[in-house]
Amino acid sequence: MRAVVQSYDASFFAAFTPQTALDMVNRLPGFVLDSGTELRGFANAAGNVLLDGEPPSSKSGGVLEALARVPAAQVVRIELVQGGDGGQGSGATVLANVVRREVGLSGRWELAAEQNGRRPEQYLELSLTAPVRGWQAAFGVSGYASRQQIGGTRTRRAADDSLLLFEQQDINSTYRGLTVSSEASRASRDGRLTLSARADVATEDTDTRRDGFGAIAPPGALLQVQRFGLDSRTATSELGARWNGPLSPSWQLNLLTLGKGRRAENRSAGLRSAADGQPLFVNSSLQTDDALELIGRASVRRSGETTWRPEWGIELVFNRLDSALAGAQTTPPAVPQPLPGQAVRVEEGRGEVFGRLAWTVSPQFSAEAGLALEVSRIRVSGGAERERDLRYAKPSLSATWRPAEGLELRGSVRRSVGQLDFNDFAASAELASDRTQTGNPELVPDRRTRATLALDLRGQEGAALNLQVFAEQRQDVVDAVILSPGQGGTGNAGSARVWGLSASGALPLDGLAAGLRLSANGLWQDARFTDPATAQRRLLNDFEPQRYKVELRQDLRAQKRAWGLTLDGSLQRTSYFSNQSSRLDFESRWGAFLETSEFTGLKARLAVLNIGGDAVVRDNRFFTPDRTGAPAGRQALVFLYEQTVQFSVAGTF
């Protein structure tokens, strides 16, 4: 016995009238889709979904895009793999394996529109699946265009809480994006060859205006006007290939290669002028990033129903980022002064060998042990020269017990290494927020040891409950630090402990009304961390203590309609910078929707989100010269997010 597999045939999802595999996975009882983690290695980025037993071969689009390309008519069943060796090294305890069949020409299209107060948005998606000269090919294209207008207020107070400045703020943004992706597979040398390609472009144009009014001399008089402009362009491309097939009747070989490139350009400009239009301060910046990632991976694993199932392999990765920041600032009528230029190249070569051994002790008990050994070299050149060799051992151990039908208990301990964001090695600037970040050439990945206890309960008619409690010890925590007096950035900030509970479940309520179902998922967590700059305890940077979502849905099968209510829980998150902390608060948001598939081949959905609208509050606390110093005042920002109405219609052919 390899692993407990609970199958949901395509007929199970018929009540939801799905059009893609993504629609089906989102309706799996008690399953929460994970698009990937921030850990190093391709397996960790693959999330908790498999396609025909293998992770998606694309890293950029990931699980969501791969599932959206698969038409529902191609899905034979979806298997929930619990325990055993279905994890492909990802560390996931429950996976969804989408089992497909080859189909003829089929496709799907979707048109969507959204209105949020003064903000319109349009979305278009088209996907095709067809056999082409022996290949089973899938093609997808999607695009969006939206305009966003957000109004709000900013109140700046001194350290003694006296009012310094009151600002009215308007932000006008335009977003556009286009993504083209494809995948083709065919039988090759007794195995299966899969090729993938993806390209996308995204743009953002934002104009911010702030009118500042004083508290004195005279109160309420217009003192200054600030304007900020942002022009952002990003382009990404990716090519990948995977082959998997038998080495022998008992051994399976998997080969993967992937190349990804990205170019980003951000132009910013700011102007502060007096009430009469006289310029007081002008600044501008240009930041360009060119990134390259190359991955090669090979693994061999035992196949078939055996007591011992070993797997081992190797992964080689090369990453490179070229980042440049340039700018100028002036106080008229002086001559503009260039800001110190920052040009940085970061390169990493990394190799990893790994092995796992799964053992089926009995139909009720199984265990798995693993070990990965990683070596890497990080080289930083440009503003600061730095070269560092790193070595990590990443052991793991897990055990699964199935005392009764539909009940599974799992325990695991795993050592992992976090993924570095190469942009943290380079300087950056946000003119509208008046923030600059200094690059840190000394950065190394954090290390995490995580212990988890999980319970998975599966009942009749799609009832399910999954609970996980976890505790994690982190070393070399990557967090906001003070690199030099008045200069902040990202660095290694010591150790931290994180613990919490995650839960997901589904409960049929047919006893109250036919087709009624309640589903929910959430995460509640806490952390213990001491800020090395202030020696005070606080939460980690951008740490979310809780998030949860609840949905009540009724499917009226005879009428081919559905309705539902949704609740997205409140959110709190605090970010830390060199001279300030910034806390963001979202209130709970209610939503409602109606769906119908009464018209053959079409599915329409009308949804109202954030019913009644709400205010988002950001509380900024300032210190001088940085967070190690004395309080220098605070700033309260209140943004108004209005009710959103969405309408979409989708069809298949």
Side-chain angles (χ1 to χ4, degrees):
M1 179 178 180
R2 298 180 61 191
V4 170
V5 178
Q6 183 165 355
S7 294
Y8 294 89
D9 293 334
S11 58
F12 174 84
F13 305 95
F16 309 116
T17 58
Q19 295 193 333
T20 68
L22 179 60
D23 297 335
M24 302 168 82
V25 168
N26 282 331
R27 301 252 60 94
L28 281 172
F31 180 79
V32 179
L33 179 61
D34 177 10
S35 58
T37 68
E38 297 180 355
L39 303 179
R40 291 152 79 85
F42 181 84
N44 293 307
N48 59 353
V49 172
L50 306 175
L51 295 175
D52 298 319
E54 300 293 336
S57 54
S58 172
K59 190 175 181 181
S60 297
V63 170
L64 298 179
E65 193 171 281
L67 291 174
R69 277 199 310 263
V70 179
Q74 192 181 2
V75 178
V76 178
R77 64 184 180 276
I78 299 181
E79 301 171 340
L80 275 186
V81 184
Q82 306 168 37
D85 63 341
Q88 302 289 314
S90 69
T93 56
V94 179
L95 295 104
N97 179 35
V98 179
V99 180
R100 299 174 290 180
R101 61 168 172 261
E102 293 190 358
V103 296
L105 176 63
S106 64
R108 175 184 180 271
W109 58 269
E110 180 180 357
L111 293 172
E114 177 179 297
Q115 185 72 31
N116 181 342
R118 296 170 292 172
R119 183 191 71 176
E121 180 173 348
Q122 299 82 38
Y123 176 81
L124 167 67
E125 181 177 346
L126 174 67
S127 60
L128 294 171
T129 300
V132 180
R133 297 182 179 274
W135 294 82
Q136 185 67 29
F139 171 82
V141 58
S142 62
Y144 65 87
S146 69
R147 294 191 302 273
Q148 186 181 68
Q149 294 177 295
I150 300 176
T153 62
R154 294 162 54 102
T155 305
R156 181 69 183 262
R157 296 183 179 275
D160 61 2
D161 207 37
S162 60
L163 181 63
L164 296 177
L165 188 67
F166 174 80
E167 294 178 302
Q168 291 181 337
Q169 176 171 273
D170 284 297
I171 303 175
N172 294 274
S173 302
T174 301
Y175 303 92
R176 295 184 178 89
L178 177 67
T179 299
V180 179
S181 62
S182 63
E183 182 180 275
S185 64
R186 65 175 299 171
S188 173
R189 297 182 179 274
D190 298 325
R192 191 110 190 138
L193 174 65
T194 301
L195 305 178
S196 63
R198 183 182 189 276
D200 69 70
V201 292
T203 67
E204 175 189 350
D205 294 288
T206 295
D207 180 69
T208 302
R209 178 187 173 105
R210 297 179 189 145
D211 293 339
F213 302 88
I216 56 175
L222 180 65
L223 295 183
Q224 64 180 34
V225 176
Q226 296 187 82
R227 296 289 297 271
F228 301 96
L230 171 65
D231 181 3
S232 176
R233 303 287 184 267
T234 303
T236 304
S237 59
E238 180 183 285
L239 293 174
R242 178 198 295 274
W243 184 89
N244 60 283
L247 278 178
S248 71
S250 301
W251 294 93
Q252 187 86 4
L253 173 64
N254 292 273
L255 302 173
L256 178 134
T257 182
L258 182 72
K260 175 184 174 183
R262 179 180 63 87
R263 178 171 177 80
E265 182 178 285
N266 295 297
R267 295 179 181 271
S268 299
L271 168 65
R272 184 168 71 240
S273 58
D276 60 3
Q278 181 68 28
L280 300 176
F281 187 81
V282 181
N283 58 2
S284 62
S285 70
L286 170 62
Q287 180 152 12
T288 58
D289 293 333
D290 287 285
L292 174 68
E293 181 177 27
L294 302 174
I295 299 175
R297 180 182 173 91
S299 65
V300 178
R301 68 173 182 263
R302 186 73 180 267
S303 57
E305 302 292 331
T306 62
T307 301
W308 298 91
R309 297 177 306 281
E311 178 186 7
W312 62 84
I314 184 171
E315 180 172 294
L316 302 175
V317 179
F318 174 77
N319 283 295
R320 186 184 70 208
L321 172 70
D322 289 298
S323 179
L325 173 65
Q329 63 184 24
T330 182
T331 302
V335 177
Q337 297 296 316
L339 295 173
Q342 296 286 341
V344 175
R345 166 171 282 196
V346 187
E347 295 176 298
E348 180 191 36
R350 175 164 52 88
E352 177 181 289
V353 292
F354 57 89
R356 296 190 302 134
L357 180 61
W359 177 31
T360 300
V361 182
S362 70
Q364 291 76 37
F365 187 81
S366 61
E368 182 180 297
L371 176 64
L373 300 175
E374 174 191 315
V375 295
S376 66
R377 172 171 293 178
I378 298 177
R379 180 182 294 111
V380 182
S381 57
E385 304 290 332
R386 188 72 168 92
E387 184 173 303
R388 177 172 293 186
D389 293 324
L390 303 172
R391 296 176 177 83
Y392 299 107
K394 300 180 286 188
S396 62
L397 181 65
S398 65
T400 302
W401 179 40
R402 309 174 187 95
E405 182 71 23
L407 175 61
E408 181 172 288
L409 302 173
R410 294 184 298 274
S412 65
V413 179
R414 189 181 188 210
R415 180 80 159 173
S416 61
V417 178
Q419 179 68 286
L420 285 174
D421 184 349
F422 277 17
N423 288 288
D424 293 332
F425 288 85
S428 62
E430 296 180 38
L431 300 187
S433 302
D434 193 24
R435 295 177 186 143
T436 58
Q437 293 282 93
T438 302
N440 183 6
E442 304 293 334
L443 198 61
V444 298
D446 66 1
R447 292 165 289 157
R448 308 178 186 187
T449 302
R450 185 183 182 98
T452 303
L453 291 175
L455 177 147
D456 193 88
L457 181 63
R458 303 278 157 175
Q460 300 295 321
E461 304 298 328
L465 176 65
N466 183 277
L467 297 174
Q468 293 189 37
V469 293
F470 61 87
E472 186 174 271
Q473 179 70 34
R474 300 185 185 182
Q475 297 172 290
D476 289 330
V477 170
V478 176
D479 205 275
V481 299
I482 306 299
L483 297 174
S484 61
Q487 296 293 324
T490 300
N492 298 106
S495 62
R497 285 187 289 168
V498 180
W499 61 94
L501 165 71
S502 65
S504 62
L507 179 64
L509 300 173
D510 294 277
L512 298 177
L516 190 64
R517 178 184 299 267
L518 179 68
S519 60
N521 66 79
L523 171 67
W524 295 265
Q525 59 182 348
D526 202 351
R528 181 170 299 224
F529 170 68
T530 300
D531 191 323
T534 64
Q536 296 179 349
R537 286 187 177 177
R538 63 167 173 86
L539 293 179
L540 296 167
N541 187 49
D542 289 336
F543 187 87
E544 296 180 12
Q546 69 171 28
R547 59 175 181 267
Y548 60 89
K549 184 172 184 177
V550 181
E551 179 184 87
L552 180 68
R553 177 188 176 103
Q554 184 181 20
D555 289 279
L556 306 172
R557 301 188 182 187
Q559 294 83 9
K560 296 185 178 181
R561 299 173 188 169
W563 68 272
L565 300 173
T566 61
L567 172 64
D568 287 280
S570 59
L571 181 148
Q572 294 179 352
R573 182 174 65 234
T574 302
S575 304
Y576 295 89
F577 304 93
S578 61
N579 68 335
Q580 63 180 279
S581 64
S582 179
R583 172 170 166 164
L584 182 68
D585 286 278
F586 277 91
E587 296 297 329
S588 299
R589 299 172 300 285
W590 286 91
F593 63 87
L594 292 171
E595 294 178 2
T596 181
S597 56
E598 297 177 68
F599 308 101
T600 304
L602 295 179
K603 182 177 181 179
R605 176 184 172 93
L606 176 66
V608 181
L609 307 179
N610 194 28
I611 294 177
D614 68 349
V616 178
V617 179
R618 184 180 289 277
D619 184 13
N620 296 335
R621 305 294 177 102
F622 298 93
F623 306 87
T624 184
D626 49 44
R627 284 189 289 110
T628 63
R634 57 188 293 242
Q635 184 182 67
L637 292 81
V638 180
F639 299 98
L640 303 178
Y641 279 81
E642 301 184 57
Q643 178 175 283
T644 299
V645 179
Q646 296 176 337
F647 177 75
S648 64
V649 58
T652 58
F653 56 89

